Amino acid sequence: MATVSPESSLLSPNNSRNNNIDNVIGELLQGYQSASELKFLLQKPFDCDGPLSAHQHLAIVLRSFTSSLSLLTSSSSDIEVAQNLVVSSENEPPPPDYFLDPKSPDASESRGRSAAPATKSRRGCYKRRRTEQTRTIVSSSADDNHAWRKYGQKEILNFKFPRSYLRCTRKYEQGCRAVKQVQRIQENPELYQITYIGNHTCIDILKTPDVVVTESGNSWESLFAAESKFPKEVVTKVHPIKQEHHHNHHPKEETTSDDFADSSLDPSLWSDLKDLSEVDDIVPALGSDNNNADTVYSCSGSLDFGVVDDSVHFCSNDFHFDA
DNA sequence: CACATTTGACCCCG
DNA sequence: CGGGGTCAAATGTG
Protein backbone atom coordinates (compact mmCIF):
# COMPACT_ATOMS: atom_id res chain seq x y z
CA MET A 1 0.00 0.00 0.00
CA ALA A 2 2.66 2.20 0.26
CA THR A 3 2.30 2.60 -3.29
CA VAL A 4 0.28 5.48 -3.63
CA SER A 5 0.49 5.86 -7.10
CA PRO A 6 -1.86 6.17 -9.78
CA GLU A 7 -4.98 5.75 -8.02
CA SER A 8 -4.53 8.27 -5.44
CA SER A 9 -3.50 10.71 -7.88
CA LEU A 10 -6.46 11.12 -9.92
CA LEU A 11 -5.33 14.45 -10.74
CA SER A 12 -2.48 15.85 -12.46
CA PRO A 13 0.81 14.76 -11.18
CA ASN A 14 2.24 18.03 -10.53
CA ASN A 15 -0.53 18.93 -8.37
CA SER A 16 1.07 19.79 -5.12
CA ARG A 17 -1.99 18.61 -3.40
CA ASN A 18 -1.35 15.16 -4.59
CA ASN A 19 2.12 15.38 -3.41
CA ASN A 20 0.83 16.27 -0.05
CA ILE A 21 -1.47 13.33 -0.05
CA ASP A 22 1.33 11.05 -1.00
CA ASN A 23 3.42 12.50 1.71
CA VAL A 24 0.69 12.09 4.23
CA ILE A 25 0.14 8.50 3.27
CA GLY A 26 3.80 7.83 3.42
CA GLU A 27 4.05 9.44 6.81
CA LEU A 28 1.11 7.51 8.14
CA LEU A 29 2.45 4.27 6.84
CA GLN A 30 5.73 4.89 8.46
CA GLY A 31 4.03 5.85 11.65
CA TYR A 32 1.91 2.77 11.51
CA GLN A 33 4.90 0.56 11.08
CA SER A 34 6.75 2.18 13.89
CA ALA A 35 3.73 2.02 16.09
CA SER A 36 3.51 -1.67 15.42
CA GLU A 37 7.13 -2.11 16.24
CA LEU A 38 6.71 -0.05 19.30
CA LYS A 39 3.83 -2.14 20.42
CA PHE A 40 5.95 -5.17 20.02
CA LEU A 41 8.78 -3.64 21.93
CA LEU A 42 6.54 -2.60 24.72
CA GLN A 43 5.28 -6.08 25.04
CA LYS A 44 8.78 -7.28 25.37
CA PRO A 45 10.52 -4.52 27.17
CA PHE A 46 13.70 -6.30 27.62
CA ASP A 47 14.06 -7.43 24.23
CA CYS A 48 16.06 -4.96 22.42
CA ASP A 49 16.66 -6.71 19.32
CA GLY A 50 14.97 -4.52 16.84
CA PRO A 51 16.96 -2.26 14.70
CA LEU A 52 15.43 0.70 16.37
CA SER A 53 14.75 1.40 19.96
CA ALA A 54 11.36 2.13 21.36
CA HIS A 55 12.22 5.74 21.56
CA GLN A 56 13.24 5.85 18.03
CA HIS A 57 10.01 4.32 17.01
CA LEU A 58 8.20 6.75 19.15
CA ALA A 59 10.00 9.59 17.51
CA ILE A 60 9.07 8.26 14.14
CA VAL A 61 5.47 7.86 15.09
CA LEU A 62 5.27 11.33 16.43
CA ARG A 63 6.91 12.75 13.44
CA SER A 64 4.62 10.87 11.15
CA PHE A 65 1.52 12.11 12.80
CA THR A 66 2.80 15.56 13.13
CA SER A 67 3.78 15.68 9.55
CA SER A 68 0.48 14.33 8.48
CA LEU A 69 -1.36 16.85 10.51
CA SER A 70 0.66 19.58 9.11
CA LEU A 71 0.11 18.47 5.62
CA LEU A 72 -3.54 18.08 6.12
CA THR A 73 -4.10 21.23 7.97
CA SER A 74 -2.13 23.40 5.81
CA SER A 75 -3.16 23.73 2.44
CA SER A 76 -0.28 25.65 1.57
CA SER A 77 2.44 23.48 1.23
CA ASP A 78 5.28 25.12 2.43
CA ILE A 79 5.65 23.60 5.52
CA GLU A 80 8.18 21.92 7.15
CA VAL A 81 7.21 19.56 9.56
CA ALA A 82 8.85 18.91 12.63
CA GLN A 83 8.02 16.62 15.19
CA ASN A 84 9.00 16.60 18.48
CA LEU A 85 8.17 17.88 21.50
CA VAL A 86 9.42 20.54 23.11
CA VAL A 87 10.02 23.63 23.68
CA SER A 88 11.93 26.30 23.68
CA SER A 89 11.44 29.44 24.03
CA GLU A 90 13.50 31.40 22.40
CA ASN A 91 15.91 33.82 22.77
CA GLU A 92 14.46 36.02 20.51
CA PRO A 93 17.09 37.34 18.53
CA PRO A 94 16.90 40.13 16.32
CA PRO A 95 13.74 41.80 16.21
CA PRO A 96 12.89 42.90 12.88
CA ASP A 97 12.38 46.37 12.31
CA TYR A 98 9.04 46.67 11.09
CA PHE A 99 6.45 47.51 13.39
CA LEU A 100 6.60 50.97 14.05
CA ASP A 101 4.07 50.72 16.56
CA PRO A 102 1.07 52.06 14.99
CA LYS A 103 -0.60 53.48 17.83
CA SER A 104 0.97 55.53 20.33
CA PRO A 105 2.92 53.29 22.43
CA ASP A 106 2.04 54.93 25.49
CA ALA A 107 -1.46 55.00 24.79
CA SER A 108 -1.66 51.88 26.56
CA GLU A 109 -4.43 49.72 25.92
CA SER A 110 -7.00 51.76 27.37
CA ARG A 111 -7.03 53.86 24.40
CA GLY A 112 -10.08 52.61 22.82
CA ARG A 113 -12.67 53.11 25.27
CA SER A 114 -11.21 56.02 26.65
CA ALA A 115 -13.64 58.27 25.36
CA ALA A 116 -11.45 59.37 22.67
CA PRO A 117 -13.79 59.91 19.93
CA ALA A 118 -11.48 57.95 17.95
CA THR A 119 -11.74 59.08 14.55
CA LYS A 120 -13.85 56.63 12.90
CA SER A 121 -12.12 57.33 9.76
CA ARG A 122 -9.12 55.61 11.10
CA ARG A 123 -10.76 52.29 11.35
CA GLY A 124 -9.09 49.63 9.47
CA CYS A 125 -5.99 51.63 9.13
CA TYR A 126 -3.29 49.30 10.09
CA LYS A 127 -0.11 47.95 8.89
CA ARG A 128 -0.03 44.49 7.71
CA ARG A 129 2.79 42.50 8.90
CA ARG A 130 3.58 40.78 5.79
CA THR A 131 7.21 40.66 6.40
CA GLU A 132 6.94 39.00 9.66
CA GLN A 133 8.13 35.59 10.03
CA THR A 134 5.53 33.18 11.14
CA ARG A 135 5.58 29.93 12.88
CA THR A 136 2.75 27.51 13.11
CA ILE A 137 2.16 24.72 15.50
CA VAL A 138 -0.65 22.38 16.21
CA SER A 139 -1.54 22.08 19.80
CA SER A 140 -4.24 20.75 21.95
CA SER A 141 -4.18 23.84 24.01
CA ALA A 142 -3.68 27.40 23.16
CA ASP A 143 -1.67 28.67 25.96
CA ASP A 144 1.81 29.53 26.43
CA ASN A 145 3.64 31.72 28.66
CA HIS A 146 2.70 35.08 27.48
CA ALA A 147 -0.26 37.19 28.15
CA TRP A 148 -2.37 37.65 25.07
CA ARG A 149 -5.25 39.81 24.35
CA LYS A 150 -7.77 38.93 21.77
CA TYR A 151 -8.42 41.69 19.33
CA GLY A 152 -10.48 39.97 16.76
CA GLN A 153 -12.20 36.90 15.52
CA LYS A 154 -13.23 36.09 12.03
CA GLU A 155 -14.92 33.46 10.02
CA ILE A 156 -12.54 32.18 7.44
CA LEU A 157 -13.58 30.84 4.15
CA ASN A 158 -13.56 27.08 4.05
CA PHE A 159 -12.97 26.84 7.72
CA LYS A 160 -15.62 25.61 9.97
CA PHE A 161 -14.35 27.37 13.01
CA PRO A 162 -13.59 31.04 13.34
CA ARG A 163 -10.05 32.26 13.63
CA SER A 164 -9.07 34.26 16.64
CA TYR A 165 -6.53 37.03 16.58
CA LEU A 166 -4.48 37.80 19.62
CA ARG A 167 -1.72 40.21 20.36
CA CYS A 168 0.66 40.55 23.21
CA THR A 169 -0.90 42.49 26.06
CA ARG A 170 2.21 44.57 26.24
CA LYS A 171 1.85 45.82 22.78
CA TYR A 172 1.37 49.36 23.87
CA GLU A 173 3.30 49.28 27.04
CA GLN A 174 6.41 47.94 25.55
CA GLY A 175 5.73 47.95 21.92
CA CYS A 176 5.77 44.21 21.71
CA ARG A 177 4.65 43.10 18.33
CA ALA A 178 3.98 39.51 18.93
CA VAL A 179 0.72 38.33 17.56
CA LYS A 180 -0.82 34.97 17.20
CA GLN A 181 -3.75 33.47 15.41
CA VAL A 182 -5.64 30.50 16.72
CA GLN A 183 -7.54 28.34 14.34
CA ARG A 184 -9.35 25.27 15.41
CA ILE A 185 -8.66 22.37 13.16
CA GLN A 186 -11.72 21.12 11.44
CA GLU A 187 -10.70 17.56 11.20
CA ASN A 188 -9.77 17.53 14.79
CA PRO A 189 -11.56 20.20 16.77
CA GLU A 190 -9.61 19.36 19.79
CA LEU A 191 -6.52 20.65 18.21
CA TYR A 192 -5.64 24.18 17.43
CA GLN A 193 -3.40 25.43 14.77
CA ILE A 194 -1.60 28.36 16.28
CA THR A 195 0.35 30.74 14.17
CA TYR A 196 2.77 33.06 15.86
CA ILE A 197 3.71 36.16 14.04
CA GLY A 198 6.48 38.41 15.12
CA ASN A 199 8.68 38.16 18.12
CA HIS A 200 8.02 39.20 21.59
CA THR A 201 10.04 42.21 22.35
CA CYS A 202 8.49 42.77 25.67
CA ILE A 203 9.84 41.73 28.94
CA ASP A 204 7.31 39.38 30.14
CA ILE A 205 6.98 38.69 33.69
CA LEU A 206 6.12 35.24 33.00
CA LYS A 207 9.34 34.09 31.89
CA THR A 208 9.64 31.98 29.03
CA PRO A 209 11.53 28.95 29.70
CA ASP A 210 14.30 28.35 27.47
CA VAL A 211 14.32 24.84 26.81
CA VAL A 212 12.27 22.58 28.54
CA VAL A 213 13.19 19.31 27.60
CA THR A 214 16.70 18.88 27.19
CA GLU A 215 18.79 16.30 26.72
CA SER A 216 19.10 13.00 27.10
CA GLY A 217 16.97 10.52 27.86
CA ASN A 218 15.26 11.85 30.68
CA SER A 219 13.14 14.35 29.29
CA TRP A 220 11.88 12.52 26.50
CA GLU A 221 11.61 9.33 28.20
CA SER A 222 9.96 10.56 31.20
CA LEU A 223 7.65 12.41 29.07
CA PHE A 224 6.37 9.48 27.39
CA ALA A 225 7.16 6.98 29.87
CA ALA A 226 3.86 7.11 31.29
CA GLU A 227 1.41 5.59 29.20
CA SER A 228 -0.07 7.56 26.64
CA LYS A 229 1.48 10.75 27.13
CA PHE A 230 1.65 12.56 24.05
CA PRO A 231 2.97 15.81 23.25
CA LYS A 232 0.37 18.31 23.24
CA GLU A 233 1.74 20.45 20.70
CA VAL A 234 3.34 19.45 17.68
CA VAL A 235 5.26 21.56 15.52
CA THR A 236 3.98 22.01 12.24
CA LYS A 237 5.33 24.48 10.04
CA VAL A 238 7.28 27.43 9.49
CA HIS A 239 6.38 29.89 6.97
CA PRO A 240 9.28 30.97 5.03
CA ILE A 241 8.44 34.26 3.85
CA LYS A 242 7.73 35.97 6.90
CA GLN A 243 10.38 36.46 9.32
CA GLU A 244 10.20 35.71 12.83
CA HIS A 245 8.74 33.81 15.36
CA HIS A 246 8.30 33.60 18.89
CA HIS A 247 6.34 32.05 21.39
CA ASN A 248 4.21 33.01 23.93
CA HIS A 249 1.77 33.34 26.26
CA HIS A 250 -1.22 32.34 27.72
CA PRO A 251 -4.53 32.83 26.91
CA LYS A 252 -7.23 33.85 28.75
CA GLU A 253 -9.51 34.06 26.11
CA GLU A 254 -12.38 31.94 25.80
CA THR A 255 -14.00 32.54 22.76
CA THR A 256 -17.49 32.43 23.10
CA SER A 257 -18.29 31.02 19.90
CA ASP A 258 -16.98 27.80 19.03
CA ASP A 259 -13.72 28.99 18.67
CA PHE A 260 -11.38 27.63 20.93
CA ALA A 261 -12.55 27.56 24.30
CA ASP A 262 -9.37 28.10 25.39
CA SER A 263 -10.07 26.48 27.92
CA SER A 264 -7.57 25.92 29.58
CA LEU A 265 -5.31 28.23 29.38
CA ASP A 266 -3.50 27.90 32.32
CA PRO A 267 -0.72 30.07 32.92
CA SER A 268 0.93 27.33 34.54
CA LEU A 269 1.44 25.67 31.38
CA TRP A 270 4.86 26.70 30.84
CA SER A 271 5.93 25.94 34.19
CA ASP A 272 4.56 22.59 33.68
CA LEU A 273 6.56 22.30 30.68
CA LYS A 274 9.61 23.11 32.45
CA ASP A 275 9.05 20.35 34.75
CA LEU A 276 8.07 17.99 32.21
CA SER A 277 11.19 16.23 32.42
CA GLU A 278 10.36 15.26 35.82
CA VAL A 279 6.74 15.37 35.97
CA ASP A 280 4.78 12.86 34.53
CA ASP A 281 1.54 13.97 34.17
CA ILE A 282 1.40 15.15 30.86
CA VAL A 283 -1.15 15.36 28.48
CA PRO A 284 -3.05 12.42 27.68
CA ALA A 285 -3.31 12.23 24.14
CA LEU A 286 -3.45 14.40 21.27
CA GLY A 287 -7.06 14.77 21.36
CA SER A 288 -7.58 15.46 24.88
CA ASP A 289 -7.75 18.82 25.92
CA ASN A 290 -5.91 19.23 28.92
CA ASN A 291 -3.78 21.94 29.44
CA ASN A 292 -0.58 20.84 30.36
CA ALA A 293 1.39 19.66 27.78
CA ASP A 294 4.44 19.85 26.28
CA THR A 295 4.96 22.14 23.68
CA VAL A 296 6.53 21.38 20.62
CA TYR A 297 7.86 24.16 18.77
CA SER A 298 9.33 24.82 15.58
CA CYS A 299 11.45 27.57 14.93
CA SER A 300 10.97 29.44 12.04
CA GLY A 301 13.28 30.41 9.60
CA SER A 302 16.28 28.86 10.77
CA LEU A 303 14.94 25.96 12.41
CA ASP A 304 16.77 22.93 11.67
CA PHE A 305 16.08 19.73 13.15
CA GLY A 306 16.80 16.24 12.46
CA VAL A 307 17.25 13.00 14.06
CA VAL A 308 20.75 12.22 14.72
CA ASP A 309 21.57 9.10 16.32
CA ASP A 310 18.91 8.84 18.75
CA SER A 311 18.16 12.32 19.24
CA VAL A 312 16.13 14.86 17.67
CA HIS A 313 17.91 18.08 17.40
CA PHE A 314 16.66 21.45 16.80
CA CYS A 315 18.99 24.01 15.84
CA SER A 316 17.52 27.24 16.19
CA ASN A 317 18.65 29.19 18.87
CA ASP A 318 18.31 26.71 21.37
CA PHE A 319 16.53 23.68 20.64
CA HIS A 320 17.64 20.29 20.87
CA PHE A 321 16.10 17.19 22.00
CA ASP A 322 17.41 13.91 22.59
CA ALA A 323 15.36 10.93 22.64
C1' DC B 1 -12.39 51.70 37.35
C1' DA B 2 -9.26 49.12 34.62
C1' DC B 3 -8.96 45.58 31.48
C1' DA B 4 -10.54 42.00 28.45
C1' DT B 5 -13.70 40.39 24.90
C1' DT B 6 -17.07 40.92 21.27
C1' DT B 7 -18.16 42.28 16.90
C1' DG B 8 -19.09 45.10 12.91
C1' DA B 9 -16.52 48.32 10.19
C1' DC B 10 -12.77 49.21 7.41
C1' DC B 11 -8.52 48.62 4.76
C1' DC B 12 -4.78 45.90 2.47
C1' DC B 13 -3.39 42.86 -0.84
C1' DG B 14 -3.55 39.08 -4.06
C1' DC C 1 -13.35 42.42 -5.93
C1' DG C 2 -13.31 39.69 -1.96
C1' DG C 3 -10.90 37.30 1.75
C1' DG C 4 -8.37 38.09 5.58
C1' DG C 5 -6.28 41.09 9.19
C1' DT C 6 -6.89 44.96 12.22
C1' DC C 7 -9.30 48.68 14.44
C1' DA C 8 -12.14 50.46 17.91
C1' DA C 9 -16.80 51.27 20.07
C1' DA C 10 -19.67 48.67 22.83
C1' DT C 11 -20.03 45.48 26.20
C1' DG C 12 -18.59 42.26 29.80
C1' DT C 13 -16.00 40.97 34.01
C1' DG C 14 -13.82 41.34 38.51
Side-chain angles (χ1 to χ4, degrees), chain A residues 142-149 166 180 206 248-253 262 265-270:
Chain A
D143 26 353
D144 46 40
N145 207 29
H146 289 263
W148 298 94
R149 178 158 168 182
L166 303 96
K180 79 169 181 179
L206 304 173
N248 350 260
H249 77 332
H250 95 240
K252 356 181 110 199
E253 51 223 70
D262 241 339
L265 318 173
D266 355 297
S268 51
L269 249 183
W270 272 95

Side-chain angles (χ1 to χ4, degrees), chain A residues 141-201:
Chain A
S141 81
D143 26 353
D144 46 40
N145 207 29
H146 289 263
W148 298 94
R149 178 158 168 182
K150 186 175 184 176
Y151 66 84
Q153 178 170 305
K154 203 166 204 321
E155 295 291 334
I156 302 300
L157 194 67
N158 296 322
F159 280 84
K160 179 179 177 182
F161 302 102
R163 177 174 300 169
S164 295
Y165 300 88
L166 303 96
R167 43 152 252 236
C168 178
T169 56
R170 294 175 180 67
K171 177 180 179 180
Y172 299 114
E173 293 172 36
Q174 299 178 32
C176 181
R177 40 215 184 91
V179 163
K180 79 169 181 179
Q181 296 178 1
V182 177
Q183 173 71 63
R184 202 165 191 167
I185 296 173
Q186 312 177 70
E187 296 82 359
N188 204 332
E190 290 160 22
L191 296 179
Y192 301 98
Q193 181 174 307
I194 305 172
T195 299
Y196 293 101
I197 304 170
N199 290 321
H200 272 286
T201 54

Side-chain angles (χ1 to χ4, degrees), chain A residues 88-91 93 135 245 297-305 313-320:
Chain A
S88 84
S89 62
E90 18 198 303
N91 313 329
R135 186 176 49 162
H245 53 280
Y297 273 17
S298 73
C299 240
S300 41
S302 52
L303 172 62
D304 237 343
F305 68 91
H313 291 272
F314 286 85
C315 310
S316 125
N317 301 310
D318 39 65
F319 286 70
H320 62 283

Side-chain angles (χ1 to χ4, degrees), chain A residues 116-125:
Chain A
T119 55
K120 259 190 176 178
S121 54
R122 288 295 298 166
R123 270 207 177 194
C125 291

Side-chain angles (χ1 to χ4, degrees), chain A residues 68-90:
Chain A
S68 298
L69 279 172
S70 298
L71 292 168
L72 290 172
T73 58
S74 69
S75 35
S76 29
S77 36
D78 49 335
I79 317 181
E80 198 170 320
V81 188
Q83 76 158 45
N84 303 298
L85 350 147
V86 173
V87 183
S88 84
S89 62
E90 18 198 303

